Amino acid sequence: MLDFKFITMRTKIVLMAVIILFMVGCKKPPTTVQDLSLVSGAVYPSTIDQLTSIVATGYANYRSENLNGFQLLTSAFACSEHIADETGPMNVGDPSGKAPYNNASPTDAWITNIWAGFYLGVTDANNTLTAESFYEKNHAVAGDSAMLKAIRGEALFLRAYYYFQLECFYGEKYIDMKQPASSDANILGVPIYTQTPSTLAQTQSPRATARQVWSLIISDLNNAKTLLPNSWSGDNIGRVTSWSAKGLLGKAYVFTQNWDSAKTVLNDVILNGNGPRGLPLQLMPFNIYKQAFNSNVYPGVLNANTDQKFNQESLFEIEVDRVPGNGGYGIFGNAPNLYLTTSIGLFWSPSGFGDDHVSPEVMGYSDLYVHDRNLLRFGFTVPLDSVSVSALVPNQNYNPNSKDSGYISTTFVPSAWYQHVSDSFRNSNGADPRLYVCALEPYMDTVMFSQTGPASDRYKRPVSKCFNVPVPDSYHGWSFKKYQTLDASLNEGTVEQCDGANYYLLRLADIYLLYAEACMNTGDQATALSYINMVHRRAYGQAAPYTTPNNNLTDPAHDYQTLTDATKADPSDVNLAHNPLAYERYAELFAEGHWWFDVCRWGNSTTGTSGNYNTDFGKNEGTYYGNLLPNNLPSQWNNVSSYSYPIPSTEINSNDLVSAQPNGGQNPGY
Amino acid sequence: MSKKRFLKAIMLFVMVLSLQVAHAQLKTVTGIIKDDKGQPVVGATVKAEGSTEATKTADDGSFSIGVQPTTTSLVISSVGFAETTVSVDNASTITIKHKDTELADVTVNTVNIGYGTQRRRDVTGSIASVSGKDIKDLPTTNVAAALEARVAGVDVTTSTAEPGTTSQITIRGVSSLFQPNPLYVIDGVIQRSNPVGTGPDAGSNINPADIASIDVLKDAAATAIYGASAAGGVIIITTKKGLDRKPVINLSTRYGVTKPLLYKLLDRDDFIKLQSDIAPNSPLAHNTETDTLPNTDWVKAMYRNGIEQNYNLSLSGAAGPLGVAPTANYYMSGVYNKQTGVFIQNSSELFGFKLNTDYKVTNRVKVGETLDAYQRSTTPVDYAVDPTGGSAPAPRLNAPFLTQPILAIYQSPGVFATDPAGLSIPNPIAQIVTKNRNITQSNIQANVYGEVKLPLALTFRATLGYTIFNEQGNSYEAPYVAGSENIGFAKLLKDMVSYKSLLNAYTLAHDKSYGNNNINAMIGYEQYQGIYNAIYTSETGVYPASFSYVPLTGAISNIANGGYDPQPLVESEFGRINYNYNTRYFLSASVRRDADYIKFGPNNQAAVFPAASAGWIMSDEPFFKKALPKVNFLKLRGSYGSIGNSNIPPYRFLAGFSPSNPTPTAISNIASFAPNSATPVTGFSQTSIANPNIKWETTNEVNIGIDGELLHSKFFFTVEWYNKTTHNLLYDLPIPTSTGFNNFFDNIGTSNNKGVDILLGYKDHIKELNYNVTFTGSFNKNKVIDLDGVGHPIRDGNNDYGQGYGGMMANDPLTYTAPGGSFGQFYGLKVLGIYKTDQQAIDRGITQFGKTPHAGDLIYYAKAGHTNVTALDDTIIGNPYPKFTYGLNINLHWKGFDLAVLFHGVQGVDIFNGVKPYSEGLFLQGNTTSKVFGASNLGTNGVTSQPEIGQTGPGGSFTPDNQANNNYSHANSYFVENGSYFKLQNLQIGYSFSNKLLNKVSIRSARLFVMGNNLFTITKYTGLDPELGSQDLTTNGGTTNRGIDGPYKYPSVRTYSVGLDLSF
């Protein structure tokens, strides 16, 4: 029995009001949703500019934290090849302090990070290829075709470049591609991805063989060289050209001992190539070369460098912008999107004397300095005890109030004898002149800490021994100069806290030496010697012509007479003392990220046993450099493992097709 | 049925009913039914004597019944109470008495089952309850922490004492790599977090003092009514309501001191002694003139005693015309809580306000609202990673191992000391005090409901809820120079995040008895929508020490990040039917369909979650009463249900482009193709790989339980067995970095949890001593059934020092999850002993990490055929999940005194003591504890029970451990310890003053208490506190990184409090 009497008018009103009120807030379910934090791939890229923004990631990635933004030159190259010594175990790039001992572990952060960094570059390139196809299919308009071709070429070049680096660091061995493929069928390279994965299955890829990796590099570069323009103009001169592709292709041939192909393509570059601005390739004269790694924003300070960006020696270069106001702690500052720099300058920064004229101060972190044995390699043989504290003498000219003159001194300076000897090494070719392009000598070189601080801070200061060396008297402690900012401390507020110059990733001097190596290995000793000498001769300030190959000019005072002639390196230096080719690669390309690859390819090849090829090349290096910081222990070189970096355990743990390979996908010895 | 049609149907139905007005001549009797303690009795049956009219009492005990004019008496019956007959004229307040042979007094007699209540004896799912009065005085503002050791199957660990943080709560084991927190339902409203960004922290937005009762829904059948959100269990909180016509004012206060549990690091002399032992040639070694060196106790400088204080004031009551049950009730309260952390410059302050009111508009229409507002202001230990770029380093450390006692904090007042050249030791005090941080979170939640009683025993209820959450973060980082750390310029960070959400919920319930067939059915619709809006800004070169954005010349402003998303939307339809015959045989079934539009792609947005359960009260059977008269109550019940989990980040089914190419901490996404002045190109990259096929994670659970009471209900117990399997485990699968991406979202496997929950209780009195002992215990075993979608083990856990310093086992994952085992087992080298002699190692012929070990090095197990031990020889070395957890709760009352003791125990668990490598070994150039002097070969030591910490070679060179045998630098079983413990979690002693005394000063009651928390622990664990949760809840939901005691952890504390509760 139902009774509805209680439902009064009042109740009805309330009820209706409640229902109406509460229905108001209801929301219709959406038909589609978007991730509003992203730009949808369904519409992007729809203009050439947007497509350019995708190819730009491949260039920008080189400056990322995992690569030269932090770890590549600083941790991987510098420590492995010993151009640098880590001052302490707190080195942020290598907190375990293991990198210098050539005894990396698969879990070391820098091992993991540069792997990820290079592969991000590969992905950037693959993304570009996908985006280019998407754009071409959906949005291309008449007149786009030349640009699309070029962008495809850039993507292929960048992919080849990143695989090149990956293979050289992580590949099991360098192979001889003259040999039949069966001879290196078991030599593992790195995993290959030629497209962006879109399914889980596509994310798994085994390590390809070294031959497959090199073949991909070579085929990408062959394609790139036909797609890329010979030069760019205007705001695009920093983009890669067909000459960049040919240069890198020649390098890939040399690294795989394919001498004949190398000679053909390198010779083409040398004879016909042009630089970024469309002018013929040629070596910079030494007076420009010695400034090319440090550009000063402020005219009239230090050696008054002019800007040498994208010059006629350059084939592939990364732009570093020292625009005031775009500063920060390398890439780690407060507006990272604005910075066109890396962080090498931050970690390699020089040390100079502070306001008390006694204590060293850093211009950045100064975590790394030039390992002392490098001085010996460049021929600087002044004994260490001449710059110990007890050997210093009071500075007769010391004037604490002399700031206005633009120069101050320290209260103590090296003895007159040292100054004299040092001067002769510097000015009379006692040492290889390139030493002074690469490094800063304490007391004798100068830096400036500030450009915007109070006037009393804007003066030159002598370079000190590296601030962070543990026992100063036990080290020469020179600071790096290449790529360093010498005219402003990175601690300075808003000045361009930035690396000192553009990074040359491929330049003509490298091409000359590669060509020489190809000639040498095909019996053409004379041409080999001639190209080695051209690079060598430039360092001694000999007049050009640097543009004419096979020139007959000689410089008997400095030229190497044979391919086994003595170099500036100390006679005890097994690898370099009588090896002009190796020496020139070391000295010419010092601190540019090349020497480690040379050490490994000469020491760790499937076939090479003559000439530079010597399985103990790496061990000799380890022995030569003696004790290494941060632990002041000798190298732990192991011929089985040290030539290849370990595959990062994060990769093995997540890539089943790698972990299923022999030795768990790991390189031998790890 | 589409949502729209469904709604139309409900509306039409309701309208038709409301318009069809019938006329009959009944008279209405209203009243309220209370038990002998004055508590309202919910769900009691009120029948007209000698007639068929009947009704049930509402949540507040009130009833309204239409009776024939001839009816003179009402018969009140309710399970657990004696049947009572009262005259219609005396019906306004009816008191009924408990029968003493029922569950009645053991726990609250009704249970909130979600969208309705049920008498406890009728419940067929697994539901445990905690009374608000048991937890109101605990020194926490977090519900989860208050539940610690009180409910079988509910594992709560509180491993950090950081003010404002929450405890980790797991109900019936971990099952997921996105292990969800329990769903909190407060007064019928689901507390949803923000799926897009920062949002309200469910469980922290309720003042424990406002809680009347907590019902924990554990099994799938009970939780399935909450469907897709219920995989972590459901915690239903019912807050207090006004009861009494006479307003009650309640004031409670509490004040406590917290003392941190800390390590003691070496002082100057011991530190120098250690340097002499390891590096005899170092300048420090054997230096006797050291008394001029500083002797800094960094631990003491970073930590202090903290304070917790809490003040709570409430006013409650009921109002309405006299002679009938009150037509309105109200409860309002305010809370103030302040905690200063044991870490310097760390505190939290909370203000809260709550209002609950219900009004009876007519006899059939009820409306009410709840209003909650709180503001929590925190000075955190560490600000979240600066979303606009790098932030200056900050320590968050148990002990600052990377310090040296011989370094000073300040070289002169206000000027931080500088390290000597060659040393790069951070100055943690500089890192801490130069940062001025403040996060203010405010949350306002307002809900209104209207409830209409309709014909056909139907009740329609509509709820409208609105929540606004706002977070404002300020962080000012001052420049400083401290040795190797040189922060060049001041930096100000500000962020504002808001999240607003709107809830619409409708239910239609039918509750009626047809003879002995009792039916309670309910259908409902619920929609939840949110809007997220955020901005993060930063500026460098600002005017010092201010949050006010005063730029100096050359300041760099950078509005770098933000977010906006109006899309969060969850729509749900649900229904349930509870049926019982003669209140003896019970059946229940429910189904819920949830659709989440931002978590899953078009084909997987919605999922359906059904459940069914049954119960049988055996003790009501005549044969049973005959056979086992001593058993007062015995119920068998069983259930099966399915629940879901979508606790994942949104939009993982989509991919897109973003102007970022982020690597670990910095963004590098621009390139310039020409010198200097050219306009750089901002790079756009694809940020992730989309998986359009991801779908709900589903858990199916069987639960079988038995509830019983013996010995005149003095002894009571519940034993439950459950078996739940979770399918389609969601996982942010790490993919090879060689793909250029880090993760791929996918459903990858299956896990299982089996266990038994036990509740045993005994209550009685010895003369005036009343006592009540409750034991809760739970056995649980989690197991990964398959990870077919991964194909390889999941590795996680680390023992890093944090913030770019690497660690003693840098990048060495400590746990291993693979099919057949439990989640996150410890993984490393198995230690067989310590080499006693060099010869012993040579004889064994197995190198370790490529080197021949020495005397004093650990002997590692090598897998068959291995002649060199490496990470490939790692094996499972421990299990972080306890086999058995238990709580023991003892309450004593004697005259005015009361004593409450809560013990918490864990049995059969391992801990990875990651602090040990730091406290017994040597980290970089840092400090350690005096245990280091027990190391093998150190100083004059021979081989001891501790492995050597590095090799001191000829000439005094020191080879660090990570270049040698990795005794302290690779995960191994030397660091795995038995983590079982038995802890006195809470001890409360109170005295309630007698009423006579108080009445004179108009105080109804007064209780003074003293309390201690975490007072002592019995354990073999050598670290500071074996109560450990997960290391990182953001990685795999914490499931795979549990039980790791690392150096990067806020310490736990011991708390001593006094308090006073006054009622006026």
Side-chain angles (χ1 to χ4, degrees), chain A residues 629-642:
Chain A
L629 289 177
N631 298 315
N632 202 25
L633 294 171
S635 160
Q636 299 181 357
W637 187 271
N638 179 332
N639 273 355
V640 177
S641 59
S642 294

Side-chain angles (χ1 to χ4, degrees), chain A residues 449-653:
Chain A
F449 278 14
S450 177
Q451 280 303 329
T452 61
S456 57
D457 268 355
R458 299 200 292 260
Y459 51 83
K460 293 180 186 175
R461 298 157 186 266
V463 169
S464 67
K465 288 191 181 186
C466 176
F467 174 90
N468 283 316
V469 292
V471 186
D473 273 359
S474 306
Y475 301 89
H476 281 286
W478 290 31
S479 293
F480 280 99
K481 184 178 180 192
K482 253 185 190 172
Y483 302 126
Q484 300 312 297
T485 300
L486 306 178
D487 57 0
S489 161
L490 299 177
N491 292 321
E492 195 178 352
T494 55
V495 188
E496 55 299 330
Q497 297 173 326
C498 188
D499 298 340
N502 279 13
Y503 285 85
Y504 300 106
L505 303 186
L506 190 63
R507 61 184 174 94
L508 190 62
D510 187 12
I511 299 291
Y512 276 14
L513 293 172
L514 292 166
Y515 185 62
E517 188 173 348
C519 291
M520 186 175 91
N521 280 285
T522 48
D524 187 355
Q525 312 293 327
T527 309
L529 195 59
S530 146
Y531 274 90
I532 292 168
N533 273 332
M534 273 200 284
V535 172
H536 177 69
R537 203 179 298 144
R538 183 248 305 260
Y540 289 84
Q542 296 307 299
Y546 299 108
T547 48
T548 312
N550 300 317
N551 68 85
N552 295 317
L553 287 185
T554 55
D555 177 9
H558 301 104
D559 275 0
Y560 299 112
Q561 301 305 315
T562 67
L563 288 172
T564 53
D565 209 348
T567 67
K568 279 284 182 194
D570 186 78
S572 69
D573 190 339
V574 180
N575 283 342
L576 299 192
H578 290 281
N579 191 339
L581 175 74
Y583 175 85
E584 287 301 314
R585 285 199 67 82
Y586 163 82
E588 174 65 27
L589 301 170
F590 184 85
E592 292 181 48
H594 296 277
W595 182 237
W596 175 244
F597 292 172
D598 292 330
V599 169
C600 294
R601 68 195 175 92
W602 290 329
N604 190 34
S605 156
T606 47
T607 58
T609 50
S610 60
N612 284 305
Y613 289 89
N614 170 5
T615 49
D616 283 334
F617 202 97
K619 193 182 203 109
N620 294 342
E621 289 285 293
T623 308
Y624 174 77
Y625 277 93
N627 273 14
L628 302 153
L629 289 177
N631 298 315
N632 202 25
L633 294 171
S635 160
Q636 299 181 357
W637 187 271
N638 179 332
N639 273 355
V640 177
S641 59
S642 294
Y643 283 117
S644 306
Y645 283 179
I647 304 295
S649 46
T650 50
E651 178 74 18
I652 292 175
N653 289 341

Side-chain angles (χ1 to χ4, degrees), chain A residues 110-402:
Chain A
W110 54 284
I111 290 289
T112 308
N113 291 350
I114 65 166
W115 172 275
F118 286 129
Y119 269 112
L120 192 58
V122 169
T123 304
D124 288 338
N126 285 334
N127 282 344
T128 306
L129 295 172
T130 309
E132 191 275 333
S133 302
F134 171 86
Y135 176 82
E136 197 168 7
K137 190 175 159 202
N138 298 298
H139 300 288
V141 295
D144 279 351
S145 63
M147 196 51 152
L148 293 182
K149 209 174 122 191
I151 287 175
R152 253 195 123 65
E154 284 178 283
L156 291 170
F157 174 89
L158 290 168
R159 187 166 77 184
Y161 180 80
Y162 286 117
Y163 272 122
F164 190 111
Q165 306 280 311
L166 278 164
E167 180 61 26
C168 290
F169 276 119
Y170 295 96
E172 187 181 331
K173 262 181 185 303
Y174 286 80
I175 56 167
D176 179 352
M177 287 185 77
K178 297 190 301 296
Q179 306 300 320
S182 58
S183 66
D184 47 45
N186 296 323
I187 304 297
L188 292 181
V190 294
I192 287 179
Y193 296 85
T194 53
Q195 60 176 17
T196 304
S198 60
T199 65
L200 185 58
Q202 287 173 4
T203 67
Q204 307 286 305
S205 183
R207 293 178 66 180
T209 63
R211 187 171 284 262
Q212 286 166 330
V213 178
W214 285 112
S215 300
L216 175 71
I217 293 166
I218 288 164
S219 99
D220 276 354
L221 290 170
N222 271 314
N223 289 330
K225 77 174 198 251
T226 60
L227 291 165
L228 284 165
N230 278 334
S231 65
W232 295 82
S233 60
D235 280 354
N236 288 321
I237 59 167
R239 300 172 80 160
V240 292
T241 66
S242 63
W243 297 112
S244 317
K246 286 177 186 172
L248 190 59
L249 178 62
K251 189 164 181 169
Y253 285 138
V254 171
F255 275 38
T256 52
Q257 302 179 46
N258 194 340
W259 311 118
D260 293 333
S261 302
K263 275 164 71 179
T264 309
V265 67
L266 292 172
N267 198 36
D268 183 20
V269 174
I270 291 166
L271 289 177
N272 307 315
N274 57 254
R277 295 172 197 264
L279 298 170
L281 285 168
Q282 63 173 60
L283 297 186
M284 294 174 256
F286 191 66
N287 62 336
I288 292 178
Y289 173 86
K290 72 184 181 190
Q291 311 172 355
F293 303 93
N294 309 91
S295 64
N296 293 318
V297 173
Y298 298 96
V301 299
L302 302 176
N303 45 0
N305 301 353
T306 51
D307 195 0
Q308 284 303 315
K309 292 180 172 186
F310 300 108
N311 62 39
Q312 278 172 269
E313 190 171 332
S314 173
L315 281 159
F316 180 29
E317 184 171 335
I318 291 293
E319 168 71 9
V320 168
D321 260 8
R322 298 193 66 212
V323 178
N326 281 1
Y329 271 83
I331 64 165
F332 299 100
N334 301 288
N337 304 14
L338 297 175
Y339 306 157
L340 278 156
T341 184
T342 84
S343 305
I344 299 167
L346 191 59
F347 297 97
W348 285 8
S349 59
S351 302
F353 283 100
D355 288 339
D356 66 357
H357 311 161
V358 176
S359 320
E361 280 185 13
V362 294
M363 290 179 69
Y365 290 144
S366 305
D367 280 331
L368 299 159
Y369 71 103
V370 180
H371 190 291
D372 280 2
R373 298 284 286 180
N374 289 299
L375 309 183
L376 199 59
R377 281 199 147 169
F378 278 106
F380 183 84
T381 56
V382 182
L384 177 62
D385 56 10
S386 60
V387 280
S388 65
V389 170
S390 57
L392 297 178
V393 297
N395 183 359
Q396 301 302 325
N397 301 319
Y398 174 60
N399 175 0
N401 301 316
S402 68

